[in-house]
């Protein structure tokens, strides 16, 4: 494989760190064009000193002087602020890892897609907020969007293009998170520390809480619908605690194809980086005999209502998924700050969607600039969700 130019949006988060680890372990021939981070200036500086990108960007502009001091004399350009992150995405890298957490990743992801880059997409919110527009933008520019989430990577790998119209179901697997066997009463008293303790994956706090509520799977249903042009009724979720089967595609002839592997995000990153080739690296080997058994169960929609909320948002369409995502971000942040309880997260999201749908706000900005429309909906949903959180926090 010839040298590839690479930008990593969110290089200090778990996906960004895993991406650089993969490059290191595989000895991939890459030249880093840009690295961006939110607030972790120390790790960003360490990465920049190791990989020598053309540009290093810290989204928190107040930390830019620290970054400049750490990189003084290296010849690495530095910048700070949200606009600088977008400009980094516009740098001429042919492969862009989009791994900024949350709706903050939408604008830079759109910028990378607009110029025709291959976007390795780990920022699920970009698809949830503006999936059809993002995919069309990439297509018109001659680029591509390759999913990095393990579930969508699995489907991407086993979805046979000549038979794409012969698919009967997409089956997303879910670990069930740390509260899979907890009662609703126990979940009501769950702490942030318990919610972020994922049994299989090492992830950031926000994504870990999404796994605990199963909102991550709700977001992934919406992503799958957009990525693979599949209506909501043909997307199912199956709880698989071992996280070995990452997802499945069921065809009309009764065949079901699955992608398996140890729970290590470097594998789907490697797939996205090398596709349609394969990247050799010292990956962990799958030992099914040692694992012994793989188990499955249907998700409990009563204890985990986020799945039904996501189906509702996908059915409403328009900007409802963007509103759901924004409300969820507000609610998860409030839970991590101990302002609301664990079960209040889903309740806040549902209430926000109901209020915005009743007011017709989910059509706000429709037909205009995609980023402006998505951000209008995002801001509106955050205001509503923040008010709900304030009411809940007074009694929490």
């Amino acid at each position: 494989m010839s040298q590839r130019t690479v930008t990593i949006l969110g290089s200090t988060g778990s996906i960004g760190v895993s991406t650089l680890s993969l490059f290191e372990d595989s000895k991939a021939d890459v030249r880093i064009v840009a690295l961006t981070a939110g607030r972790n200036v120390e790790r960003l500086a360490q990465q920049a000193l190791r990989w020598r990108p053309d540009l290093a960007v810290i989204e928190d502009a107040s930390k830019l002087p620290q970054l400049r001091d750490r990189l003084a004399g290296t010849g690495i350009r530095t910048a700070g602020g949200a606009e600088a992150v977008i400009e980094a995405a516009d740098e001429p890298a042919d492969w862009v890892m989009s791994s900024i957490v949350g709706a903050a990743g939408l604008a830079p992801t759109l910028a990378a897609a607009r110029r025709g880059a291959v976007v390795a997409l780990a920022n699920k919110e970009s698809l949830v907020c503006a999936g059809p527009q993002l995919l069309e933008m990439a297509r018109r520019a001659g680029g591509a969007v390759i999913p990095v989430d393990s579930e969508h990577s699995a489907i991407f790998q086993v979805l046979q293009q000549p038979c794409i119209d012969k698919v009967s179901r997409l089956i997303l697997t879910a670990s069930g998170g740390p509260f899979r066997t907890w009662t609703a009463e126990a979940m009501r008293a769950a702490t942030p520390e318990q919610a972020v303790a994922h049994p299989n994956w090492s992830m950031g706090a926000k994504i870990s809480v999404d796994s605990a509520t199963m909102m991550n799977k709700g977001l992934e249903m919406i992503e799958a619908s957009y990525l693979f042009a599949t209506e909501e009724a043909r997307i199912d979720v199956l709880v698989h605690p071992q996280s070995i089967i990452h997802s499945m595609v069921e065809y009309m002839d009764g065949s079901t194809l699955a992608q398996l592997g140890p729970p290590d995000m470097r594998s789907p990153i490697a797939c996205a980086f090398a596709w349609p080739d394969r990247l050799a690296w010292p990956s962990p080997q799958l030992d099914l005999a040692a694992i012994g058994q793989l188990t499955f169960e249907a998700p409990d929609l009563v204890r985990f209502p986020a799945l039904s909320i996501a189906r509702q948002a996908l059915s409403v369409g328009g900007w409802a998924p963007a509103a759901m995502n924004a409300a969820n971000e507000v609610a998860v942040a409030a839970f991590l700050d101990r302002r609301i309880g664990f079960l209040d997260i889903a309740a806040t999201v549902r209430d926000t969607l109901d209020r915005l749908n009743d007011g017709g706000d989910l059509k706000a900005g429709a037909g205009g600039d995609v980023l402006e429309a998505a951000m209008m909906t995002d801001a509106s949903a955050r205001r509503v969700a923040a008010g709900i959180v304030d009411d809940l926090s007074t009694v929490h």
Side-chain angles (χ1 to χ4, degrees):
M1 183 183 296
S2 59
Q3 185 183 71
R4 301 196 75 177
T5 52
V6 169
T7 285
I8 302 178
L9 305 172
S11 66
T12 61
S14 61
I15 296 294
V17 169
S18 292
T19 302
L20 291 174
S21 170
L22 174 71
F23 292 161
E24 191 90 62
D25 292 345
S26 66
K27 298 179 173 56
D29 187 6
V30 299
R31 181 175 72 81
I32 305 297
V33 174
L35 299 175
T36 82
R39 297 176 49 84
N40 194 338
V41 68
E42 187 65 29
R43 178 173 285 175
L44 176 61
Q46 291 172 355
Q47 292 174 337
L49 290 170
R50 162 63 183 87
W51 292 94
R52 299 288 168 152
D54 300 336
L55 174 65
V57 176
I58 189 78
E59 193 274 337
D60 184 347
S62 70
K63 296 182 179 292
L64 180 57
Q66 295 174 250
L67 183 63
R68 284 178 172 159
D69 287 346
R70 287 294 311 274
L71 300 183
T74 63
I76 299 171
R77 291 183 289 128
T78 58
E83 284 299 318
V85 175
I86 298 172
E87 290 166 8
D90 217 17
E91 290 282 317
D94 56 44
W95 190 85
V96 177
M97 168 58 74
S98 172
S99 57
I100 297 172
V101 175
L106 175 59
T109 302
L110 289 172
R114 189 178 290 114
R115 64 174 179 79
V118 174
V119 178
L121 192 63
N123 170 259
K124 57 170 51 75
E125 291 83 2
S126 293
L127 270 178
V128 170
C129 293
Q133 298 89 341
L134 169 62
L135 295 170
E136 177 62 15
M137 192 177 293
R139 186 192 66 79
R140 287 186 177 182
V145 175
I146 301 180
V148 171
D149 271 355
S150 61
E151 296 82 1
H152 302 104
S153 176
I155 293 171
F156 178 78
Q157 292 181 62
V158 301
L159 189 59
Q160 300 172 332
Q161 289 303 315
C163 302
I164 200 164
D165 61 338
K166 303 298 191 295
V167 172
S168 57
R169 279 194 305 163
L170 303 180
I171 305 168
L172 299 170
T173 56
S175 70
F179 304 146
R180 180 176 64 87
T181 61
W182 287 35
T183 65
E185 194 58 37
M187 290 165 65
R188 190 180 306 279
T191 66
E193 290 78 13
Q194 292 168 323
V196 302
H198 195 282
N200 299 336
W201 299 93
S202 175
M203 305 180 292
K206 193 269 180 182
I207 300 174
S208 296
V209 173
D210 283 348
S211 178
T213 63
M214 292 194 74
M215 180 59 80
N216 70 321
K217 216 52 53 178
L219 294 169
E220 288 167 12
M221 283 195 298
I222 296 171
E223 287 182 273
S225 177
Y226 294 154
L227 275 169
F228 308 115
T230 304
E231 62 268 25
E232 171 264 324
R234 293 196 295 126
I235 302 173
D236 285 343
V237 172
L238 185 66
V239 175
H240 169 49
Q242 294 81 18
S243 297
I244 297 299
I245 295 178
H246 297 299
S247 277
M248 295 173 274
V249 176
E250 179 186 89
Y251 290 94
M252 292 176 176
D253 63 359
S255 297
T256 298
L257 304 188
Q259 187 268 335
L260 289 73
D264 188 322
M265 283 306 300
R266 289 173 296 178
S267 291
I269 294 169
C271 174
F273 178 72
W275 191 264
D277 202 352
R278 293 283 177 174
L279 181 69
W281 67 286
S283 58
Q285 300 300 300
L286 180 60
D287 188 342
L288 289 174
I291 294 167
Q293 63 177 350
L294 304 178
T295 60
F296 307 92
E297 60 194 62
D300 186 331
L301 300 182
V302 175
R303 287 186 299 125
F304 298 99
L307 292 171
S308 298
I309 295 170
R311 288 194 185 277
Q312 174 196 354
L314 189 53
S315 297
V316 170
W319 299 108
M324 183 193 80
N325 176 73
N328 181 62
E329 288 190 20
V330 170
V332 169
F335 168 70
L336 290 171
D337 287 342
R338 304 179 196 278
R339 295 181 60 207
I340 62 174
F342 180 76
L343 296 184
D344 292 330
I345 298 173
T348 297
V349 177
R350 187 188 296 279
D351 200 3
T352 300
L353 279 178
D354 288 345
R355 295 187 191 187
L356 289 175
N357 203 29
D358 288 345
D361 291 353
L362 296 182
K363 299 299 181 184
D369 175 80
V370 57
L371 181 59
E372 179 183 359
M375 290 299 96
M376 283 176 60
T377 302
D378 182 271
S380 178
R382 287 177 191 275
R383 284 193 299 271
V384 173
I388 295 169
V389 164
D390 287 342
D391 291 341
L392 289 170
S393 61
T394 61
V395 298
H396 179 59

